[in-house]
Amino acid sequence: MKKIMLTLALAATTFSFAQQLESKIPANAQAVISVNGNNVFDLISLTDFDTNALGKEMIKEFKRENEDFNGLADFGVDLESKAFYFYQPSDSISYHSFILKIKDRKQFEAIFNMSSKNEIVKQGNVSSFTDHNTAIMWNDNILLFIGGDKSYSYFDEHKERLMGEFGGDDQDYYDVKKVVVAQWISNYSSKIFNYNGASILSNKNYVKSIDKNAEASAWINSYGELMGGVMGGLSYYMGGIRPDYTSLGFGTMNAHLYFEKGEAKITTNMEVDDTWKKAIKNIYKSKIDQSFFKYFNEKEIIGYTSVAMSTEAVLDEYPNLISQIYGGMLPDFKEEMEVGAELFSVLIDEEAVGDLITGDMLFVLNDLGEKEVTYTTYEYDDDYKETEVTKTKTEMNPEFTIMVGSENEKLLFKLIKLGVKHKALEQNANYYKLNLPNKTPFDLYAVIKDEIVFLTSSEKQLANIISPNPVSFTGEHKKLIRKNAAVMYLDVKKLLAKIPSEDLRRDEKKMFSFASDNINSVHYKTGKMKGNSMVSEFVVDTADNRENSLKVLLDFMDFMMK
């Protein structure tokens, strides 16, 4: 019972301290990134990191300042606690802040060299160190590190005022800017270190996004505002143009990183306004047509990309979305955008285009073969006389198939007839061959069947497509494609096995060798709308014999740095 109570007390202490760190993050922070040290070091040990090539390099650098530094544990920071980064922009300086838990203050202070130690200012229990664009503050429990990026446009616009307030007769503006930035960053760091106002924990969207199972998480309060701040800072290089991104309709966004046995995974979730919700639901309301899977053999693919959308809905929603996006970004041209969008809607027959190209698309990489090609080169004799020579060489020959849905075969055949007439296509019994430039490393064949336009570079796939009984095999990938709006998949092992090693550089051979032994496949998927949220996921499927995917990543860095 005592052990249980002790464990609960320890867990409560860790959680409450994480909240103490978060309480230093203002409620109006634009972005927050957290790393859950407890989860990370459940997957790997400190020894795993210290003996890794990256860890050894870090130890080597810190050892120059402190010869007693022998590993990450000597940094003086509680690595098993949560650590936070947050971003808070202003019109003059964008602040990047890091907050960590101090475990051993003496160990941390030992990292500073003698020159830096002489610049440390101590007031009561708080120590601080300030450079021209960074500030560090700490006590026995908390470490705060802040860096700042100045806005060039702000400092150009306020040059006269700032020179009057901070400059002297013998100072140039470059030195004055350094003084101003250093002072403002120092003031900001003191404000954050002693902050007791409304914190990020009062933001319901942020609290809702917290996932204790993630190794790392990122949260953005408003994607539109963040983009507006970033691009606003670039207006100095854009002739003073300041695009307004706040009316784009993109809201809160969060992402989580997980390292599990068998896979590493990143999930993202972005909230959109009702205009985007309606448009996206309309565009991705359908599933890819079942007829596509009559020609899809999961056993014979290296990778694929699928999209299931309505072209008619895209064209129907396009004018409103373009008007909202660019009319919001460039408010001075809003009327022009609206007129252009209306003209587009008048000129385009959405239903007719939607019949011609439904929006169902599937690209399949079937194989990577080799093809012998001829090429012309020149040889020279002892008198440097040039002779034209024809040689042969072997090149990679991608075998792929593209499938595009169409419900207007009548118009398609008219277009193909014109292609044959103008010798862009060669007609065969039940397929067409495209007349491509001679240097193209593959042939391309076209077939129209089952309301699908096929383009393939593979004679094997061509034979299967035109067969009255095509061979197919579907399973997990069909489910993945049918369930999501878009999917990208790559069988890494199959792909690497097809690439000749003699064509690779030494570093490429190392990378390919490691990937082949440790990574099975990767895939990215974008799901249907859930409420007002767009959800996507990126997954790296790792070897079953590895303890967890974080160790795979750590070993990869070690492998590549040696």
Side-chain angles (χ1 to χ4, degrees):
M1 186 65 182
K2 288 182 178 179
K3 287 184 177 181
I4 294 174
M5 293 300 294
L6 184 61
T7 302
L8 290 173
L10 182 60
T13 302
T14 303
F15 178 71
S16 63
F17 199 88
Q19 285 190 314
Q20 185 181 341
L21 294 179
E22 281 172 296
S23 69
K24 299 293 182 183
I25 304 174
N28 62 348
Q30 277 284 353
V32 180
I33 297 175
S34 62
V35 176
N36 193 331
N38 188 51
N39 287 0
V40 169
F41 287 103
D42 273 348
L43 299 171
I44 62 170
S45 67
L46 282 174
T47 303
D48 288 333
F49 188 86
D50 289 341
T51 55
N52 182 275
L54 177 63
K56 287 178 180 178
E57 195 62 32
M58 289 178 62
I59 292 169
K60 181 180 175 183
E61 289 299 314
F62 281 114
K63 212 170 182 65
R64 290 177 181 176
E65 308 297 337
N66 176 14
E67 61 182 16
D68 294 327
F69 191 92
N70 296 307
L72 211 59
D74 295 335
F75 193 65
V77 172
D78 188 347
L79 300 170
E80 295 186 0
S81 177
K82 262 194 170 185
F84 297 91
Y85 158 87
F86 68 92
Y87 171 69
Q88 194 172 27
S90 72
D91 59 349
S92 55
I93 297 176
S94 294
Y95 298 99
H96 304 272
S97 306
F98 299 83
I99 308 178
L100 302 92
K101 180 183 176 183
I102 290 281
K103 187 175 183 178
D104 189 319
R105 183 172 182 169
K106 288 184 178 179
Q107 276 189 325
F108 173 72
E109 292 176 345
I111 293 170
F112 290 89
N113 59 32
M114 191 55 65
S115 174
S116 297
K117 283 181 179 177
N118 292 334
E119 297 180 42
I120 293 174
V121 176
K122 191 167 184 180
Q123 292 182 322
N125 192 40
V126 179
S127 299
S128 62
F129 173 86
T130 305
D131 199 354
H132 71 278
N133 62 353
T134 58
I136 307 173
M137 296 186 72
W138 67 94
N139 58 20
D140 292 337
N141 299 310
I142 296 174
L143 167 64
L144 173 67
F145 175 89
I146 294 178
D149 296 324
K150 63 179 179 288
S151 166
Y152 288 94
S153 58
Y154 176 90
F155 280 86
D156 278 357
E157 292 169 11
H158 295 81
K159 178 178 179 179
E160 186 176 341
R161 178 178 65 82
L162 294 173
M163 282 294 290
E165 289 182 22
F166 297 92
D169 295 335
D170 58 344
Q171 282 186 296
D172 61 30
Y173 192 46
Y174 175 79
D175 292 329
V176 170
K177 284 191 289 186
K178 287 176 66 175
V179 171
V180 173
V181 170
Q183 182 173 321
W184 287 357
I185 289 177
S186 178
N187 293 343
Y188 179 81
S189 65
S190 295
K191 173 187 170 184
I192 296 299
F193 197 84
N194 298 297
Y195 188 73
N196 59 4
S199 79
I200 197 68
L201 292 171
S202 65
N203 187 310
K204 292 180 180 179
N205 277 327
Y206 172 78
V207 174
K208 183 181 174 182
S209 76
I210 295 172
D211 186 345
K212 63 181 181 180
N213 295 316
E215 274 65 63
S217 299
W219 175 86
I220 296 171
N221 185 47
S222 169
Y223 184 78
E225 286 185 17
L226 182 68
M227 286 299 298
V230 172
M231 298 306 293
L234 296 176
S235 65
Y236 178 81
Y237 304 101
M238 298 165 61
I241 297 175
R242 293 176 179 270
D244 179 11
Y245 292 84
T246 56
S247 60
L248 286 183
F250 301 137
T252 300
M253 180 179 180
N254 65 71
H256 299 290
L257 172 63
Y258 308 88
F259 290 106
E260 300 170 357
K261 180 175 174 59
E263 68 176 29
K265 180 171 65 178
I266 298 174
T267 63
T268 62
N269 184 309
M270 178 185 282
E271 291 186 1
V272 298
D273 66 12
D274 289 339
T275 301
W276 275 100
K277 174 187 174 181
K278 172 183 168 293
I280 294 169
K281 277 196 169 184
N282 196 21
I283 290 169
Y284 295 107
K285 62 186 175 185
S286 60
K287 296 182 178 181
I288 200 164
D289 197 274
Q290 290 277 13
S291 59
F292 278 60
F293 298 102
K294 288 170 60 178
Y295 308 93
F296 185 68
N297 189 343
E298 292 189 10
K299 294 180 179 180
E300 296 184 358
I301 61 170
I302 294 176
Y304 64 82
T305 298
S306 71
V307 178
M309 66 180 182
S310 166
T311 303
E312 182 180 348
V314 170
L315 297 174
D316 189 45
E317 299 288 349
Y318 180 80
N320 291 331
L321 295 179
I322 287 298
S323 178
Q324 179 174 337
I325 292 170
Y326 292 103
M329 287 171 56
L330 304 170
D332 292 341
F333 300 95
K334 186 173 183 179
E335 289 183 13
E336 287 84 349
M337 295 295 176
E338 289 175 351
V339 172
E342 286 184 31
L343 280 173
F344 177 87
S345 187
V346 169
L347 294 171
I348 298 297
D349 186 335
E350 293 90 346
E351 186 177 354
V353 176
D355 285 343
L356 184 63
I357 304 171
T358 63
D360 286 349
M361 301 178 193
L362 182 59
F363 168 86
V364 181
L365 180 59
N366 303 107
D367 201 357
L368 280 180
E370 293 183 344
K371 184 178 182 181
E372 194 173 80
V373 296
T374 59
Y375 66 100
T376 302
T377 186
Y378 298 92
E379 292 183 351
Y380 301 87
D381 59 18
D382 294 339
D383 297 323
Y384 299 101
K385 187 177 179 180
E386 183 183 274
T387 304
E388 187 177 286
V389 179
T390 301
K391 294 186 175 183
T392 61
K393 63 179 179 179
T394 301
E395 290 186 347
M396 295 293 294
N397 180 35
E399 296 184 10
F400 60 86
T401 303
I402 301 171
M403 296 180 245
V404 181
S406 177
E407 295 176 353
N408 193 341
E409 293 187 357
K410 186 177 179 180
L411 178 56
L412 286 172
F413 278 115
K414 286 182 179 180
L415 292 171
I416 284 176
K417 189 176 180 180
L418 286 174
V420 173
K421 177 182 177 180
H422 293 284
K423 301 187 184 305
L425 298 166
E426 293 178 13
Q427 185 172 0
N428 291 275
N430 41 18
Y431 68 91
Y432 302 86
K433 183 179 179 182
L434 279 70
N435 290 324
L436 302 173
N438 292 331
K439 291 185 179 180
T440 307
F442 51 81
D443 295 322
L444 201 56
Y445 308 95
V447 179
I448 299 174
K449 184 181 177 185
D450 289 342
E451 296 190 337
I452 301 173
V453 179
F454 296 87
L455 288 173
T456 183
S457 64
S458 167
E459 292 184 2
K460 178 182 177 181
Q461 296 302 319
L462 174 64
N464 190 56
I465 291 165
I466 63 179
S467 168
N469 298 301
V471 177
S472 65
F473 180 84
T474 57
E476 290 301 316
H477 290 289
K478 179 182 177 180
K479 294 177 185 176
L480 191 64
I481 292 169
R482 290 273 293 170
K483 191 177 179 181
N484 293 282
V487 178
M488 296 177 69
Y489 169 84
L490 184 64
D491 188 318
V492 175
K493 280 189 178 295
K494 275 189 183 179
L495 176 68
L496 298 181
K498 295 287 183 178
I499 299 175
S501 60
E502 58 267 20
D503 296 335
L504 302 175
R505 299 192 305 268
R506 182 174 175 273
D507 58 336
E508 290 175 334
K509 286 182 180 179
K510 282 181 65 177
M511 184 172 65
F512 279 30
S513 172
F514 183 91
S516 182
D517 291 338
N518 292 278
I519 299 175
N520 297 324
S521 64
V522 297
H523 77 260
Y524 170 84
K525 64 180 182 181
T526 299
K528 309 287 185 179
M529 287 291 294
K530 292 183 178 179
N532 282 67
S533 296
M534 295 171 57
V535 181
S536 62
E537 184 175 271
F538 176 73
V539 178
V540 179
D541 183 37
T542 55
D544 295 332
N545 62 348
R546 299 305 307 272
E547 189 175 340
N548 60 68
S549 53
L550 180 55
K551 284 198 171 184
V552 174
L553 176 62
L554 203 62
D555 287 349
F556 176 71
M557 291 189 291
D558 187 59
F559 190 78
M560 294 304 298
M561 290 179 69
K562 287 181 177 177

